[in-house]
Amino acid sequence: MSFLDHLEELRWHLIRSVIAIVAVALVAFLAKEFIFDVILFGPKNPDFPTYRLLCKLSSMIGLEESFCMQENAFRIQSRTMAGQFSAHIWTSITVGIVIAFPYIIYEFWKFISPGLMPKERKNSRGFIFVASILFFVGVFFGYYVVTPLSINFLGTYKVSEQVFNDFDLSSYTGLVRASVLASGLIFELPIIMYFLTKIGLVTPEFLKKYRKFALVIVLVLSAIITPPDIASQVIVAVPVLILYEISILISKRVIRKERKKLKQQAT
């Protein structure tokens, strides 16, 4: 195929992916009450599962009620004419991206798989399943861990008793959307490292050498997306560091297979 033929093929894969996102987003748009009242505004309720679990854990380790969320001290408001409609649209699109992610990965795989050898396609058979599972685990992590910790801290933080926390709807929904999507993408780290190793940009030695730098970057990111307390940062940083170590193992396995294949070709 020529370069233009490849672009045409990519265009249709992108079009089908967009259609899937829009179809799911339309369903989410119609299910407005469930999406907003149950899912989106769930982490601001004191009886959210994460708060109950953290409250029990903090009591068990002697931190008293430091992680127990009391009644919310903030309200959510919309101060622009199109604020609620805009939040409705963007939230529906986000839901569309999240739910349609396996199909998006499927379209991506259909585009790149013709360029792989039959053995490579066979070895990568579980790519769509693994990538989807990692993404959804990351989404749940963002929704049940990153979002509640951020809301609990930012929603109760005050510089003065004279200042009231009345947050704009777009600010709240943006926080939830960013936490969920960012976590989902971060959990794709092993998949990304697999392909970077396959094309020769990353090696296990490289990942080990810069492990300390990766640790610092993860801690900085954790400090940015979570409240500035050590416990919250550790809760977010530990899974990402585990993913980094898994990426090293995956990179080792890829290199081992490549070397074995080269030896077989040489003989």
Side-chain angles (χ1 to χ4, degrees):
M1 295 176 64
S2 66
F3 177 72
L4 292 179
D5 289 334
H6 279 295
L7 285 181
E8 179 67 14
E9 186 72 16
L10 176 61
R11 185 172 74 92
W12 280 106
H13 286 296
L14 293 175
I15 289 174
R16 286 191 289 269
S17 298
V18 170
I19 290 174
I21 293 173
V22 172
V24 178
L26 180 61
V27 176
F29 188 87
L30 297 175
K32 178 177 62 177
E33 288 77 12
F34 176 76
I35 295 298
F36 277 85
D37 295 339
V38 177
I39 297 180
L40 201 65
F41 295 144
K44 70 182 286 291
N45 297 324
D47 61 345
F48 193 65
T50 303
Y51 300 134
R52 297 202 303 265
L53 177 62
L54 290 177
C55 186
K56 290 180 181 178
L57 291 176
S58 63
S59 299
M60 290 172 58
I61 61 178
L63 295 178
E64 299 179 354
E65 297 184 353
S66 57
F67 278 96
C68 296
M69 185 175 183
Q70 306 301 325
E71 195 65 30
N72 273 313
F74 69 89
R75 297 180 304 174
I76 298 176
Q77 59 181 345
S78 179
R79 298 178 296 170
T80 58
M81 289 293 292
Q84 295 196 52
F85 182 73
S86 177
H88 192 184
I89 291 291
W90 283 109
T91 300
S92 300
I93 292 174
T94 302
V95 173
I97 294 173
V98 170
I99 296 180
F101 185 80
Y103 182 77
I104 297 171
I105 289 294
Y106 170 72
E107 288 293 339
F108 171 74
W109 178 247
K110 282 182 65 178
F111 177 70
I112 66 171
S113 60
L116 300 177
M117 301 295 289
K119 189 174 181 180
E120 291 175 327
R121 284 199 295 269
K122 182 180 178 182
N123 293 335
S124 305
R125 190 175 296 167
F127 164 73
I128 298 173
F129 176 77
V130 174
S132 300
I133 290 296
L134 287 173
F135 179 77
F136 286 128
V137 170
V139 165
F140 279 104
F141 180 78
Y143 180 73
Y144 283 103
V145 178
V146 178
T147 299
L149 290 175
S150 300
I151 290 176
N152 188 25
F153 174 76
L154 297 174
T156 57
Y157 186 82
K158 285 188 176 184
V159 295
S160 171
E161 291 298 326
Q162 301 182 46
V163 181
F164 296 95
N165 284 333
D166 288 334
F167 301 125
D168 194 74
L169 177 61
S170 61
S171 176
Y172 177 87
T173 56
L175 172 67
V176 178
R177 290 198 304 262
S179 299
V180 168
L181 288 179
S183 298
L185 294 176
I186 287 174
F187 271 64
E188 293 294 319
L189 183 63
I191 299 292
I192 295 172
M193 290 302 175
Y194 171 82
F195 282 105
L196 290 179
T197 304
K198 287 287 289 184
I199 62 179
L201 291 179
V202 167
T203 63
E205 292 75 19
F206 175 84
L207 295 175
K208 288 180 181 178
K209 180 180 179 181
Y210 292 98
R211 182 188 275 125
K212 295 180 180 179
F213 296 99
L215 173 61
V216 173
I217 293 173
V218 169
L219 291 176
V220 170
L221 290 175
S222 301
I224 293 174
I225 65 177
T226 60
D229 62 86
I230 300 299
S232 299
Q233 293 174 20
V234 169
I235 289 173
V236 174
V238 167
V240 180
L241 292 175
I242 292 174
L243 288 172
Y244 189 85
E245 295 299 324
I246 292 174
S247 299
I248 294 177
L249 296 177
I250 291 174
S251 183
K252 281 183 179 180
R253 185 177 179 184
V254 172
I255 294 295
R256 194 182 305 121
K257 284 188 175 182
E258 291 293 327
R259 289 173 179 171
K260 184 178 179 181
K261 184 169 66 174
L262 290 175
K263 285 183 179 179
Q264 290 176 349
Q265 291 175 351
T267 56

